């Protein structure tokens, strides 16, 4: 269990990871522990905001699935530069987790679109239907 921290600018490495640890500690009054980044979420939120302004997206109909796949620090003995794009097995696990969580929701929406075309589903309503 831990906190995520994102920024609009990508970062990776020990210096910025320490910054994230300190920032999380400050903003949670010492109760939170930095666990992973979520920079992609920040970028997507900006794209959704722009799409809403252009009337292309309804931000109330956005579902965010967040899984962990890439650390903010390189493994021991590897430089930050060498590890930036090497997400390894974590990426496969993250895709699988997103599929397992997201597929039932997408299937429900597609199978019963007549119910949801004018009504935004809630998590509790969807979970009741899944049982």
């Amino acid at each position: 269990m831990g906190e995520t921290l994102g920024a609009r600018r990508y970062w990776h490495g020990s210096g910025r990871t320490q910054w994230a640890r300190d920032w999380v500690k400050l903003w949670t009054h010492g109760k939170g522990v930095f666990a992973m980044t979520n920079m992609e979420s920040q970028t997507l939120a900006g794209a959704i905001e722009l799409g809403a302004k252009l009337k292309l997206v309804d931000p109330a109909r956005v579902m965010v699935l967040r899984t962990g796949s890439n650390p903010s620090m390189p493994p021991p003995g590897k430089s930050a530069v060498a590890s930036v794009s090497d997400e390894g097995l974590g990426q496969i696990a993250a895709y699988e987790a997103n599929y397992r969580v997201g597929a039932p929701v997408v299937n429900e929406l597609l199978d019963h679109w007549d119910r949801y075309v004018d009504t935004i589903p809630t998590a509790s309503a969807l979970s009741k239907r899944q049982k």
Side-chain angles (χ1 to χ4, degrees), residues 14-106:
S14 61
R16 288 296 182 174
T17 296
Q18 187 58 51
W19 163 80
R21 289 178 182 139
D22 294 341
W23 196 245
V24 165
K25 194 174 197 178
L26 174 71
W27 280 92
T28 63
H29 305 287
K31 295 177 183 169
V33 176
F34 172 70
M36 70 179 199
T37 68
N38 67 1
M39 288 169 270
E40 300 87 351
S41 299
Q42 307 301 315
T43 302
L44 289 173
I48 290 166
E49 183 180 5
L50 177 60
K53 286 179 183 176
L54 296 171
K55 307 278 190 231
L56 299 171
V57 175
D58 179 354
R61 289 187 173 266
V62 173
M63 179 176 72
V64 176
L65 296 175
R66 183 72 191 157
T67 54
S69 64
N70 53 330
S72 62
M73 296 222 342
K78 195 169 187 181
S79 75
V81 173
S83 70
V84 164
S85 64
D86 182 13
E87 297 182 21
L89 296 175
Q91 189 69 56
I92 296 166
Y95 288 152
E96 180 66 21
N98 274 333
Y99 175 79
R100 288 181 183 205
V101 171
V105 176
V106 171

